[in-house]
Each structure stands twice: as structure tokens, then as C-alpha cells.
Amino acid sequence: MKSRFLGTLEVSPIGMGCMGLSHGYGQIPAHDESIAAIRAAYDFGCTFFDTAEAYGPNLAPENRGHNERLVGEALADVRGRVVIATKLHLDVDEVAQDGLYETIRAHLEASLERLRSERVELYYLHRVNRAIPVEDVAAAMGRLIDEGLIGGWGLSQVDVDTIASAHAVTPLTAVQNIYSMVERGVEERVIPYCAAHGIGVVPFSPIASGLLSGKVTSDTAFEKVDDVRQFVPQLSAENIAANRPIVELLQEVAAAKRATPAQISLAWMLRKWDNVVPIPGSKRRERILENLGAWDVELTEEDVADLERALADLPVAGHRGFVEFDSDGMRNWNR
């Protein structure tokens, strides 16, 4: 397993998206199971863990920080050997009352307390708020870097124009956008731009919320409460069926490589891009370790070329898109 770099941050080539332990996939695991899952990922070799202040059951305000607390507790004993990323949202009224830098710092200090840390390596703006100039956010993040409270900063679900505007003020460490075999919009401009400017790309949902694992079928019943898969366009029953040829392609390659379809989907993007560090998420320990094991799956240039040719002939049913602003709703994902 070779490490990779997000800006100057050295991390394992695949990280752990911790959201599912608190939100997004229905009923969350018991506390001790979640702690054990994070620790198992670390023991397996993962050194990059992604969380956010918002991740808590049902995203309810009273549950804010649930996921950060789990991450902080699980990694307390190995804190100096891991890279933690967390995220904040900005509210216009809060900024108007307290000031932008003061608001961001207050959110950060609350996250640091929950993470049991004096510093966080990577601090993202979870979504750009149209009413708050991203250049001003970049300047505030620069102050936090100078003060030693964060190692670097990032943006999520953004295009090149936004990235360039922010990067010109305070260089970005990473951009976290949705990216997978069935959501490839970032390949055209975002990933190449980031590679050229020393910015890491952190794909979330790299297995398309389980679609590319082959374990989600048209008969899969998602939970009715706090399960974002209800809104993922590719996971409607008709689109799951329409996207089945892509899953079958992955199954064929996986059989030849003695891997799983999910591992092939991750190994594919690792082989294509040196500046990409995906963060697959799951609430099941065995699935987390399976995903991390993708860093040992060897795909040759010929393998990737064959996959690219095959994928080019397979249309994707349903797209979420990768640009998303604060206050955009999940129900708009299939717009």
C-alpha cells in the first residue's frame, strides 16, 4: 500500500467516509460497533478519515456532531498517526451577526472539541453558500491555517470556476466531489485542473451508494427514515435495472482479478488519477475493509483502457451532477 498526497497531506490511497455510522443509510449501528469499525479501518492501514459537523441521525440540529464524536473517540489513541477531515456549513444570519471569520472559527472550535483535537488537518466548506463570497471564505481559512488550527482547507461539490476563485486567495488542499463510474462529470475539467495546481480530489460515493457493488438490485427496499438512497437518481428501481450492464461489466472484471466489483470501481479511479483519494462509506465493518482492500487490486493500463472502451458503450441511467450549493435539497438530485 502506497500513500498519496492531498496537497501536502500524506494519506492512505483510500480513506474512510464515516457518515454512514451516523446518517444516510437508515438505522445507525450501535455506538460500540461504530467505534470498532473505525478502529478496524485504522488497523487495516487507513490513515484518512472523513466526517462533518452535520452528520447525525436525520441531520437533526440536536444531533449535530454525532459523527465527529465517534471519530474523535475511536482515533484518540492514534491521533498523531491519522489525518482527519471535517466540514462546516455557513448560515447567512449567523455570519451577518457574528462576522465570517468569527463564525467559521466558532464552528471549528466546536468540531475540535468533539474530535478531541487541537487541530484538524483538513477543513472543508461543506457546500458553497451563494450569499457568501467563496473568496471571503478562502481568506478566513487562510487565517486559520496561519494560526495553526487547520492544516489545509477544501471545498465540496464545486466546479473549476469556484475552485480557481478560492485557490487564488488561499491555496486549496482538496476538493471533495461526487465521482464514480456513473458520475463522471469531474473528469472533464475538475480533476485535471486540480492535478495541475497541486490540489487533491476526494471522491465521495465512489461506489455510487452501493450500485457498483452489485449488491443493490431493483428489489432492494431502502429504509424510509434517514436513508439518502431514496433520492439517488441511479437507485430508482427502473434505473437500477437500466444500469445493470455496468454492474455486469464490473462483475466480469472482478472475477478475472479475484476481486469484488466495488474494489474494481475503486481501483479504476486510483489507476487513472494520481491526485485522487476516494472515501467510500458504509456502516458495515466488513464492507469498509473490503473497500480499503481495493488498494491491493492491480489494474494495468490495458485493463483501464478496456474498461473505458466498454463503459463508453454503456449509457448511464440517472445523474445527480456534481455542482451543489448550500440549501439545495436531496429531492433536486435528479433535476
Side-chain angles (χ1 to χ4, degrees):
M1 189 268 287
K2 296 180 180 179
S3 60
R4 291 194 167 202
F5 284 89
L6 301 171
T8 61
L9 297 176
E10 186 173 5
V11 297
S12 52
I14 299 173
M16 177 181 173
C18 299
M19 181 191 78
L21 302 177
S22 300
H23 153 71
Y25 294 99
Q27 181 66 40
I28 64 174
H31 175 272
D32 289 350
E33 291 179 26
S34 295
I35 299 298
I38 296 170
R39 285 302 303 232
Y42 170 77
D43 291 340
F44 195 80
C46 180
T47 63
F48 182 40
F49 296 84
D50 183 90
T51 182
E53 63 175 17
Y55 296 159
N58 300 300
L59 296 184
E62 64 271 19
N63 295 326
R64 173 180 285 188
H66 179 274
N67 200 248
E68 289 180 321
R69 291 188 184 93
L70 289 175
V71 171
E73 178 181 345
L75 299 175
D77 294 342
V78 296
R79 184 63 186 92
R81 297 192 286 270
V82 297
V83 169
I84 293 177
T86 192
K87 316 177 193 72
L88 85 153
H89 284 275
L90 289 172
D91 179 81
V92 173
D93 293 336
E94 187 180 17
V95 170
Q97 176 178 310
D98 300 327
L100 179 58
Y101 167 77
E102 292 76 11
T103 297
I104 294 175
R105 177 154 182 164
H107 280 257
L108 174 62
E109 289 175 348
S111 289
L112 291 176
E113 182 177 356
R114 292 187 289 260
L115 290 167
R116 306 185 185 189
S117 184
E118 297 180 353
R119 176 178 184 269
V120 69
E121 286 79 15
L122 179 53
Y123 199 38
Y124 292 103
L125 180 61
H126 207 148
R127 293 290 185 272
V128 171
N129 190 310
R130 292 180 178 90
I132 302 172
V134 72
E135 295 88 348
D136 294 349
V137 175
M141 291 292 190
R143 287 183 63 180
L144 294 174
I145 293 170
D146 291 342
E147 292 163 356
L149 293 175
I150 64 176
W153 81 290
L155 293 169
S156 182
Q157 290 293 76
V158 288
D159 61 14
V160 165
D161 292 341
T162 301
I163 295 168
S165 296
H167 191 66
V169 178
T170 300
L172 284 156
T173 301
V175 167
Q176 184 177 133
N177 279 4
I178 192 168
Y179 174 44
S180 71
M181 282 185 173
V182 292
E183 287 284 359
R184 298 180 64 172
V186 294
E187 289 187 332
E188 183 178 357
R189 297 180 64 211
V190 171
I191 297 180
Y193 179 92
C194 289
H197 291 82
I199 304 169
V201 176
V202 179
F204 72 88
S205 199
I207 308 170
S209 299
L211 173 69
L212 299 177
S213 72
K215 300 183 184 301
V216 176
T217 71
S218 298
D219 296 325
T220 299
F222 302 122
E223 297 186 44
K224 299 301 181 184
V225 178
D226 202 16
D227 194 329
V228 299
R229 292 172 295 183
Q230 299 176 68
F231 308 105
V232 174
Q234 290 139 3
L235 295 186
S236 67
E238 60 271 25
N239 286 343
I240 290 173
N243 288 319
R244 186 65 192 172
I246 299 172
V247 176
E248 290 172 350
L249 169 65
L250 284 172
Q251 290 172 332
E252 180 182 339
V253 177
K257 293 291 181 178
R258 297 185 179 180
T260 67
Q263 289 175 333
I264 296 300
S265 70
L266 293 166
W268 164 81
M269 64 174 64
L270 291 178
R271 189 68 176 81
K272 287 186 66 173
W273 310 100
D274 293 333
N275 64 324
V276 161
V277 178
I279 49 166
S282 177
K283 62 181 183 180
R284 296 177 58 187
R285 173 175 170 170
E286 62 270 23
R287 198 67 58 231
I288 292 166
L289 299 185
E290 174 192 327
N291 293 336
L292 294 175
W295 63 47
D296 288 326
V297 176
E298 294 288 342
L299 293 182
T300 66
E301 288 187 18
E302 184 179 1
D303 291 330
V304 172
D306 289 343
L307 274 167
E308 293 290 276
R309 281 191 292 269
L311 289 168
D313 292 331
L314 299 174
V316 177
H319 279 286
R320 171 176 169 179
F322 69 88
V323 175
E324 191 172 320
F325 292 91
D326 220 341
S327 78
D328 285 354
M330 288 183 288
R331 296 180 186 278
N332 293 325
W333 282 354
N334 62 354
R335 63 192 178 278

